[in-house]
């Protein structure tokens, strides 16, 4: 069964600094998708960034970028120039190809941003 | 373009009552997913539906829970004879038809509290 592991329950970063959130996953598939979602205190689920496993190039979205290491099954999220609004719970998610499109989530990392 | 609409935002039920949670997908989206988030945990997949069809219900408890996505109207997640352990946030997500690289867009969730 596929699993997603986020080994950092909590992280803290100073405003304007850079922080990296870790995520590893376990799968025997060669093609799949990976996502990072953000859940602020309002508890909405907001898509931050996504990566297709067949693409070697790491995805970037403004201040957010990933380090995708397929062989190591690692998918970390880097947040540059951290802002107070980045404070939230961050969930890593895996989605297999095929008939089901279900997302498999990690347990989350709570990010605090210090002014 | 309105996002995924879930209602109610908060629902309080007494043990033994029924809970009905509604989800209207984004315009043009025909795929609906339900996830449950227990306190201090990540989201867990429950069920994946397309119009009038259940595609994957592998995450749905076998008893008391049911879901539907009729040809007309919202998707409904129904919980009969609720118990304290059903207290959670229930999120609906939707995606357009097509290949599985379409990201899922989430609603704001329904917070279910069982007295």
């Amino acid at each position: 069964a596929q699993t997603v592991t986020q080994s950092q329950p909590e992280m803290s970063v100073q405003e304007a600094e850079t922080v990296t959130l870790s995520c590893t996953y376990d799968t025997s598939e060669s093609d799949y998708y990976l996502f990072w979602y953000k859940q602020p205190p309002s508890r909405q689920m907001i898509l931050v960034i996504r990566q297709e496993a067949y693409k070697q190039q790491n995805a970037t979205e403004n201040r957010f970028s990933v380090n995708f290491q397929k062989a190591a099954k690692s998918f970390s999220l880097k947040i540059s120039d951290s802002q107070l609004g980045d404070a939230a719970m961050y969930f890593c998610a895996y989605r297999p190809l095929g008939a089901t499109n279900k997302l498999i989530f990690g347990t989350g990392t709570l990010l605090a941003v210090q002014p | 373009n309105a996002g995924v609409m879930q209602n109610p935002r908060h629902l309080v039920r007494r043990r033994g009552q029924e809970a009905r949670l509604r989800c209207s997908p984004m315009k043009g989206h025909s795929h609906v997913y339900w996830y449950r988030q227990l306190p201090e945990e990540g989201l867990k997949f429950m069920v994946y539906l397309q119009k009038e069809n259940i595609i994957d219900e592998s995450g749905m408890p076998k008893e008391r829970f049911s879901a539907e996505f009729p040809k007309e109207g919202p998707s409904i997640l129904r919980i009969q004879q609720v118990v304290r352990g059903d207290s959670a946030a229930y999120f609906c997500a939707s995606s357009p038809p097509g290949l599985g690289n379409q990201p899922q867009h989430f609603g704001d969730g329904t917070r279910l509290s069982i007295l």
Side-chain angles (χ1 to χ4, degrees):
Chain A
Q2 296 105 346
T3 57
V4 177
T5 301
Q6 293 179 251
S7 58
Q8 306 155 315
E10 296 181 14
M11 290 283 284
S12 182
V13 64
Q14 291 291 130
E15 201 174 1
E17 297 293 309
T18 295
V19 65
T20 299
L21 308 184
S22 301
C23 173
T24 58
Y25 56 94
D26 187 25
T27 183
S28 58
E29 303 296 323
S30 58
D31 284 328
Y32 45 86
Y33 301 97
L34 296 164
F35 304 84
W36 278 97
Y37 280 88
K38 169 185 176 181
Q39 188 177 45
S42 64
R43 300 190 69 84
Q44 293 174 289
M45 289 292 290
I46 303 167
L47 177 64
V48 175
I49 199 166
R50 65 172 171 168
Q51 174 84 41
E52 289 90 344
Y54 63 86
K55 289 186 178 178
Q56 293 185 338
Q57 186 172 6
N58 289 323
T60 62
E61 283 288 338
N62 301 315
R63 298 183 294 106
F64 298 87
S65 61
V66 299
N67 183 4
F68 174 46
Q69 301 288 329
K70 190 173 184 180
K73 297 179 183 176
S74 171
F75 182 61
S76 60
L77 174 70
K78 185 171 84 171
I79 306 174
S80 304
D81 185 25
S82 297
Q83 300 175 0
L84 295 177
D86 295 333
M89 184 72 89
Y90 286 82
F91 291 100
C92 177
Y94 165 97
R95 192 173 86 199
L97 294 180
T100 180
N101 290 326
K102 66 182 179 184
L103 288 165
I104 299 166
F105 285 88
T107 51
T109 296
L110 181 62
L111 178 67
V113 181
Q114 308 298 333
Chain B
N1 189 14
V4 178
M5 304 300 292
Q6 288 189 249
N7 68 82
R9 291 293 303 275
H10 302 275
L11 182 61
V12 179
R13 285 287 178 267
R14 297 190 180 279
R15 283 178 291 172
Q17 291 184 322
E18 178 180 286
R20 281 184 179 239
L21 288 62
R22 295 175 183 77
C23 170
S24 296
M26 286 181 69
K27 188 176 181 180
H29 288 195
S30 57
H31 297 196
V32 166
Y33 317 80
W34 285 93
Y35 294 85
R36 177 165 64 176
Q37 185 178 30
L38 295 171
E40 310 302 324
E41 294 188 12
L43 279 72
K44 294 286 196 308
F45 168 79
M46 299 181 75
V47 62
Y48 163 37
L49 310 103
Q50 295 177 17
K51 281 287 186 181
E52 299 184 281
N53 288 304
I54 296 175
I55 307 302
D56 181 354
E57 56 182 346
S58 59
M60 192 96 98
K62 293 289 185 276
E63 296 179 355
R64 303 187 298 109
F65 285 73
S66 62
E68 63 177 8
F69 188 19
K71 187 176 180 180
E72 301 292 336
S75 175
I76 305 288
L77 178 66
R78 182 181 178 206
I79 311 173
Q80 295 177 290
Q81 299 175 324
V82 295
V83 300
R84 287 258 172 86
D86 297 333
S87 294
Y90 292 82
F91 287 91
C92 170
S94 73
S95 67
L99 297 178
N101 64 343
Q102 301 291 340
Q104 295 176 19
H105 297 266
F106 281 81
D108 290 345
T110 293
R111 278 76 183 167
L112 176 63
S113 298
I114 309 302
L115 301 179

PDB file of all heavy atoms in Angstrom, chain B residues 63-77:
ATOM      1  N   GLU B  63     -20.539   0.255   7.404  1.00  0.00           N
ATOM      2  CA  GLU B  63     -21.856   0.453   7.994  1.00  0.00           C
ATOM      3  C   GLU B  63     -22.076   1.931   8.277  1.00  0.00           C
ATOM      4  O   GLU B  63     -21.159   2.676   8.562  1.00  0.00           O
ATOM      5  CB  GLU B  63     -21.986  -0.355   9.291  1.00  0.00           C
ATOM      6  CG  GLU B  63     -21.900  -1.853   9.057  1.00  0.00           C
ATOM      7  CD  GLU B  63     -22.009  -2.648  10.349  1.00  0.00           C
ATOM      8  OE1 GLU B  63     -22.051  -2.037  11.429  1.00  0.00           O
ATOM      9  OE2 GLU B  63     -22.036  -3.894  10.258  1.00  0.00           O
ATOM     10  N   ARG B  64     -23.310   2.343   8.154  1.00  0.00           N
ATOM     11  CA  ARG B  64     -23.824   3.661   8.525  1.00  0.00           C
ATOM     12  C   ARG B  64     -23.452   4.771   7.553  1.00  0.00           C
ATOM     13  O   ARG B  64     -24.078   5.815   7.561  1.00  0.00           O
ATOM     14  CB  ARG B  64     -23.377   4.074   9.950  1.00  0.00           C
ATOM     15  CG  ARG B  64     -23.770   3.110  11.041  1.00  0.00           C
ATOM     16  CD  ARG B  64     -23.457   3.674  12.425  1.00  0.00           C
ATOM     17  NE  ARG B  64     -22.021   3.914  12.610  1.00  0.00           N
ATOM     18  CZ  ARG B  64     -21.466   5.120  12.660  1.00  0.00           C
ATOM     19  NH1 ARG B  64     -22.216   6.219  12.519  1.00  0.00           N
ATOM     20  NH2 ARG B  64     -20.169   5.248  12.852  1.00  0.00           N
ATOM     21  N   PHE B  65     -22.457   4.589   6.721  1.00  0.00           N
ATOM     22  CA  PHE B  65     -22.016   5.639   5.790  1.00  0.00           C
ATOM     23  C   PHE B  65     -22.463   5.291   4.369  1.00  0.00           C
ATOM     24  O   PHE B  65     -22.349   4.147   3.938  1.00  0.00           O
ATOM     25  CB  PHE B  65     -20.490   5.775   5.805  1.00  0.00           C
ATOM     26  CG  PHE B  65     -19.943   6.469   7.016  1.00  0.00           C
ATOM     27  CD1 PHE B  65     -19.927   5.823   8.248  1.00  0.00           C
ATOM     28  CD2 PHE B  65     -19.426   7.755   6.925  1.00  0.00           C
ATOM     29  CE1 PHE B  65     -19.419   6.469   9.372  1.00  0.00           C
ATOM     30  CE2 PHE B  65     -18.902   8.395   8.041  1.00  0.00           C
ATOM     31  CZ  PHE B  65     -18.902   7.751   9.269  1.00  0.00           C
ATOM     32  N   SER B  66     -22.930   6.305   3.657  1.00  0.00           N
ATOM     33  CA  SER B  66     -23.256   6.137   2.250  1.00  0.00           C
ATOM     34  C   SER B  66     -23.034   7.459   1.532  1.00  0.00           C
ATOM     35  O   SER B  66     -23.031   8.531   2.154  1.00  0.00           O
ATOM     36  CB  SER B  66     -24.702   5.655   2.065  1.00  0.00           C
ATOM     37  OG  SER B  66     -25.608   6.621   2.570  1.00  0.00           O
ATOM     38  N   ALA B  67     -22.825   7.362   0.235  1.00  0.00           N
ATOM     39  CA  ALA B  67     -22.605   8.568  -0.561  1.00  0.00           C
ATOM     40  C   ALA B  67     -23.284   8.408  -1.905  1.00  0.00           C
ATOM     41  O   ALA B  67     -23.412   7.293  -2.421  1.00  0.00           O
ATOM     42  CB  ALA B  67     -21.110   8.823  -0.758  1.00  0.00           C
ATOM     43  N   GLU B  68     -23.704   9.537  -2.448  1.00  0.00           N
ATOM     44  CA  GLU B  68     -24.317   9.532  -3.763  1.00  0.00           C
ATOM     45  C   GLU B  68     -23.978  10.829  -4.481  1.00  0.00           C
ATOM     46  O   GLU B  68     -23.678  11.852  -3.856  1.00  0.00           O
ATOM     47  CB  GLU B  68     -25.834   9.376  -3.662  1.00  0.00           C
ATOM     48  CG  GLU B  68     -26.547  10.507  -2.946  1.00  0.00           C
ATOM     49  CD  GLU B  68     -28.052  10.349  -2.945  1.00  0.00           C
ATOM     50  OE1 GLU B  68     -28.559   9.297  -3.358  1.00  0.00           O
ATOM     51  OE2 GLU B  68     -28.728  11.303  -2.545  1.00  0.00           O
ATOM     52  N   PHE B  69     -24.028  10.761  -5.789  1.00  0.00           N
ATOM     53  CA  PHE B  69     -23.813  11.933  -6.640  1.00  0.00           C
ATOM     54  C   PHE B  69     -24.802  11.797  -7.787  1.00  0.00           C
ATOM     55  O   PHE B  69     -24.500  11.233  -8.825  1.00  0.00           O
ATOM     56  CB  PHE B  69     -22.378  11.964  -7.136  1.00  0.00           C
ATOM     57  CG  PHE B  69     -21.986  13.227  -7.861  1.00  0.00           C
ATOM     58  CD1 PHE B  69     -22.716  14.397  -7.735  1.00  0.00           C
ATOM     59  CD2 PHE B  69     -20.864  13.238  -8.676  1.00  0.00           C
ATOM     60  CE1 PHE B  69     -22.348  15.556  -8.397  1.00  0.00           C
ATOM     61  CE2 PHE B  69     -20.480  14.394  -9.346  1.00  0.00           C
ATOM     62  CZ  PHE B  69     -21.216  15.552  -9.202  1.00  0.00           C
ATOM     63  N   PRO B  70     -26.029  12.296  -7.577  1.00  0.00           N
ATOM     64  CA  PRO B  70     -27.083  12.099  -8.582  1.00  0.00           C
ATOM     65  C   PRO B  70     -26.830  12.912  -9.847  1.00  0.00           C
ATOM     66  O   PRO B  70     -25.995  13.825  -9.870  1.00  0.00           O
ATOM     67  CB  PRO B  70     -28.342  12.567  -7.844  1.00  0.00           C
ATOM     68  CG  PRO B  70     -27.837  13.522  -6.816  1.00  0.00           C
ATOM     69  CD  PRO B  70     -26.495  13.034  -6.391  1.00  0.00           C
ATOM     70  N   LYS B  71     -27.590  12.577 -10.862  1.00  0.00           N
ATOM     71  CA  LYS B  71     -27.469  13.278 -12.138  1.00  0.00           C
ATOM     72  C   LYS B  71     -27.719  14.778 -11.966  1.00  0.00           C
ATOM     73  O   LYS B  71     -27.044  15.617 -12.580  1.00  0.00           O
ATOM     74  CB  LYS B  71     -28.464  12.686 -13.142  1.00  0.00           C
ATOM     75  CG  LYS B  71     -28.316  13.219 -14.557  1.00  0.00           C
ATOM     76  CD  LYS B  71     -29.281  12.509 -15.499  1.00  0.00           C
ATOM     77  CE  LYS B  71     -29.134  13.040 -16.915  1.00  0.00           C
ATOM     78  NZ  LYS B  71     -30.085  12.357 -17.840  1.00  0.00           N
ATOM     79  N   GLU B  72     -28.667  15.101 -11.142  1.00  0.00           N
ATOM     80  CA  GLU B  72     -28.964  16.506 -10.835  1.00  0.00           C
ATOM     81  C   GLU B  72     -28.778  16.738  -9.349  1.00  0.00           C
ATOM     82  O   GLU B  72     -29.176  15.913  -8.537  1.00  0.00           O
ATOM     83  CB  GLU B  72     -30.413  16.844 -11.224  1.00  0.00           C
ATOM     84  CG  GLU B  72     -30.745  16.621 -12.700  1.00  0.00           C
ATOM     85  CD  GLU B  72     -30.027  17.605 -13.608  1.00  0.00           C
ATOM     86  OE1 GLU B  72     -29.668  18.698 -13.123  1.00  0.00           O
ATOM     87  OE2 GLU B  72     -29.818  17.273 -14.787  1.00  0.00           O
ATOM     88  N   GLY B  73     -28.168  17.842  -9.009  1.00  0.00           N
ATOM     89  CA  GLY B  73     -28.038  18.178  -7.599  1.00  0.00           C
ATOM     90  C   GLY B  73     -26.679  17.840  -7.029  1.00  0.00           C
ATOM     91  O   GLY B  73     -25.802  17.280  -7.713  1.00  0.00           O
ATOM     92  N   PRO B  74     -26.492  18.192  -5.754  1.00  0.00           N
ATOM     93  CA  PRO B  74     -25.177  18.015  -5.134  1.00  0.00           C
ATOM     94  C   PRO B  74     -24.895  16.562  -4.765  1.00  0.00           C
ATOM     95  O   PRO B  74     -25.802  15.712  -4.744  1.00  0.00           O
ATOM     96  CB  PRO B  74     -25.289  18.870  -3.869  1.00  0.00           C
ATOM     97  CG  PRO B  74     -26.738  18.796  -3.503  1.00  0.00           C
ATOM     98  CD  PRO B  74     -27.477  18.768  -4.814  1.00  0.00           C
ATOM     99  N   SER B  75     -23.661  16.312  -4.426  1.00  0.00           N
ATOM    100  CA  SER B  75     -23.280  15.034  -3.844  1.00  0.00           C
ATOM    101  C   SER B  75     -23.653  15.067  -2.365  1.00  0.00           C
ATOM    102  O   SER B  75     -23.544  16.104  -1.705  1.00  0.00           O
ATOM    103  CB  SER B  75     -21.786  14.799  -4.003  1.00  0.00           C
ATOM    104  OG  SER B  75     -21.394  13.618  -3.343  1.00  0.00           O
ATOM    105  N   ILE B  76     -24.095  13.936  -1.865  1.00  0.00           N
ATOM    106  CA  ILE B  76     -24.515  13.834  -0.466  1.00  0.00           C
ATOM    107  C   ILE B  76     -23.699  12.732   0.208  1.00  0.00           C
ATOM    108  O   ILE B  76     -23.598  11.614  -0.306  1.00  0.00           O
ATOM    109  CB  ILE B  76     -26.007  13.464  -0.343  1.00  0.00           C
ATOM    110  CG1 ILE B  76     -26.881  14.447  -1.108  1.00  0.00           C
ATOM    111  CG2 ILE B  76     -26.415  13.376   1.128  1.00  0.00           C
ATOM    112  CD1 ILE B  76     -27.000  15.809  -0.488  1.00  0.00           C
ATOM    113  N   LEU B  77     -23.133  13.087   1.372  1.00  0.00           N
ATOM    114  CA  LEU B  77     -22.531  12.084   2.248  1.00  0.00           C
ATOM    115  C   LEU B  77     -23.487  11.929   3.431  1.00  0.00           C
ATOM    116  O   LEU B  77     -23.796  12.902   4.112  1.00  0.00           O
ATOM    117  CB  LEU B  77     -21.150  12.518   2.733  1.00  0.00           C
ATOM    118  CG  LEU B  77     -20.439  11.561   3.687  1.00  0.00           C
ATOM    119  CD1 LEU B  77     -20.083  10.254   2.982  1.00  0.00           C
ATOM    120  CD2 LEU B  77     -19.172  12.199   4.257  1.00  0.00           C
TER     121      LEU B  77
END
